[in-house]
Amino acid sequence: MQKFFRNTLLCLTVFCLIPGLKAHAQDNAPAIDKDYFRKMEDSLLVTADSIYNIMIPDFRTEQCELFVKQLIRTLKTPGSYNYPFDSLKKTINIVSSPDNKFRIFNWPLAYSDVRVRYYAAIQMNEPELKLIPLFDKTDMLSKPDPYKECTSNDWMGTLIYNIIPKETEEGTVYFILGVNNGNPISNKKMIDPMTFSGNSVRFGAPLFAMGSMESPDKPVNRFILEYKKEASVGMNWDAEYNAIVYDELASEVNDPNRKYTYIPTGQYNGLRWSNGKWRVIENLIPVMELKDGAAPDAGK
């Protein structure tokens, strides 16, 4: 355990250097040197592959530290925000906000088959390089907390796969959709509100018109689906339904308190943005009930 935290601290220390970076101005920078960025991207790809595939966990941490250094050096180069890193996207997650205000570099570091920590850095679309590192602290929580308000220093880490911006009275809120597979018996998918304040970010806000199992009348600050490790659970934006569509879950042993027994019921619910909050739409996609021997009508 001491080695786990020592290695983690070593890798995070590199990220701690990011906020003080003052890179070359990018607003008046010449056209980007694509050949240079391709070479840097090739180096990043080799290191990222080692993070995932080296058998010895301690060596993965070393490669993660190297990757962070390479990423900082690459992003300090003028014009870096305009380079898409299309090849690197096949190995790590690079997700841009729909309004192009920022993008997030995001990857997991597996310390064992069941211990995973998530790394992320937000690159702002600004004249000078501005990176905001996110530090995953979910391993310090006894269970997922739908009410905890977090900063970049105690982020509830996920592998991010979508960003949905919404306008509120306080400004733009970016809803971060991600999955956390770091628990040995359950997985979690989350919708976490993220807001910017100067050079920092905050996570969690009462923008969901539903409570938790423990406090049904208290609006949650983030939406969490926790479910059985082997289950396949969907949750993503669907333009056709103008909602975030997700699998309804229920305990396969009829015990609501044991989230690690939750599996999809076959019904799809949704979250629709209305009057400044996400509101649950139950049975958003009705389950087609068929008579014995009948086949579904593909035209319906």
Side-chain angles (χ1 to χ4, degrees), residues 95 159-164 175-179 189-191 223 225 233-247 268-272 278 284-285:
V95 185
L159 193 63
I160 297 163
Y161 58 87
N162 203 353
I163 301 172
I164 303 173
F175 291 89
I176 308 299
L177 278 65
V179 58
K189 288 197 171 181
M190 286 190 273
I191 306 173
F223 184 78
L225 292 179
V233 173
M235 183 179 73
N236 212 344
W237 175 257
D238 191 308
E240 179 182 353
Y241 291 95
N242 189 33
I244 299 173
V245 178
Y246 64 93
D247 280 289
Y268 294 94
N269 298 333
L271 294 174
R272 184 168 289 155
W278 291 105
L284 178 65
I285 305 177

Side-chain angles (χ1 to χ4, degrees), residues 2-296:
Q2 288 181 344
K3 181 179 288 187
F4 169 75
F5 283 109
R6 184 171 64 251
N7 290 340
T8 300
L9 180 62
L10 180 65
C11 197
L12 293 183
T13 299
V14 181
F15 256 143
C16 286
L17 301 175
I18 294 175
L21 285 174
K22 289 295 183 181
H24 303 288
Q26 298 189 25
D27 51 349
N28 297 318
I32 64 173
D33 185 343
K34 292 184 179 180
D35 289 338
Y36 169 81
F37 280 112
R38 288 192 189 101
K39 291 178 182 177
M40 295 303 293
E41 187 174 22
D42 287 343
S43 297
L44 286 165
L45 278 166
V46 171
T47 308
D49 182 73
S50 297
I51 293 173
Y52 297 144
N53 295 318
I54 284 183
M55 297 300 296
I56 302 174
D58 285 355
F59 290 172
R60 295 175 196 163
T61 304
E62 293 177 3
Q63 292 301 304
C64 183
E65 180 185 356
L66 175 60
F67 181 84
V68 171
K69 291 178 179 178
Q70 291 174 329
L71 182 64
I72 294 172
R73 184 164 62 249
T74 303
L75 297 183
K76 285 177 65 176
T77 306
S80 67
Y81 191 89
N82 296 319
Y83 187 76
F85 293 99
D86 287 333
S87 295
L88 188 60
K89 284 179 181 178
K90 299 174 183 177
T91 304
I92 72 165
N93 281 22
I94 306 176
V95 185
S96 299
S97 63
D99 57 11
N100 201 34
K101 293 289 183 64
F102 63 91
R103 62 182 175 182
I104 303 177
F105 293 81
N106 175 222
W107 66 94
L109 175 59
Y111 294 94
S112 68
D113 291 339
V114 295
R115 294 187 70 92
V116 179
R117 174 161 284 180
Y118 295 91
Y119 287 79
I122 303 171
Q123 182 186 17
M124 306 302 297
N125 186 2
E126 295 189 0
E128 290 190 349
L129 175 63
K130 178 179 174 183
L131 284 178
I132 304 174
L134 305 181
F135 302 117
D136 179 11
K137 296 295 178 66
T138 50
D139 56 351
M140 297 183 180
L141 299 173
S142 58
K143 61 180 181 179
D145 191 340
Y147 292 105
K148 181 178 174 59
E149 294 187 14
C150 309
T151 68
S152 59
N153 292 320
D154 58 354
W155 170 55
M156 295 181 66
T158 61
L159 193 63
I160 297 163
Y161 58 87
N162 203 353
I163 301 172
I164 303 173
K166 292 293 180 183
E167 295 301 322
T168 69
E169 293 180 355
E170 288 74 30
T172 305
V173 179
Y174 297 92
F175 291 89
I176 308 299
L177 278 65
V179 58
N180 184 307
N181 298 328
N183 187 293
I185 59 175
S186 69
N187 292 337
K188 294 172 285 292
K189 288 197 171 181
M190 286 190 273
I191 306 173
D192 207 353
M194 183 181 77
T195 55
F196 289 94
S197 178
N199 293 325
S200 62
V201 293
R202 293 197 65 84
F203 295 93
L207 297 173
F208 301 89
M210 80 286 289
S212 65
M213 184 184 300
E214 295 79 10
S215 303
D217 296 326
K218 181 182 179 182
V220 297
N221 286 332
R222 65 180 50 79
F223 184 78
I224 302 174
L225 292 179
E226 185 175 5
Y227 51 93
K228 185 176 180 178
K229 193 74 178 175
E230 297 79 14
S232 177
V233 173
M235 183 179 73
N236 212 344
W237 175 257
D238 191 308
E240 179 182 353
Y241 291 95
N242 189 33
I244 299 173
V245 178
Y246 64 93
D247 280 289
E248 181 184 73
L249 304 177
S251 171
E252 63 182 345
V253 296
N254 199 29
D255 186 349
N257 293 311
R258 296 162 65 183
K259 296 290 188 179
Y260 59 88
T261 67
Y262 276 45
I263 60 174
T265 65
Q267 176 177 313
Y268 294 94
N269 298 333
L271 294 174
R272 184 168 289 155
W273 186 255
S274 175
N275 296 322
K277 290 192 175 185
W278 291 105
R279 302 176 188 276
V280 175
I281 309 295
E282 294 186 353
N283 200 26
L284 178 65
I285 305 177
V287 177
M288 184 182 299
E289 295 185 4
L290 301 175
K291 296 180 180 180
D292 291 343

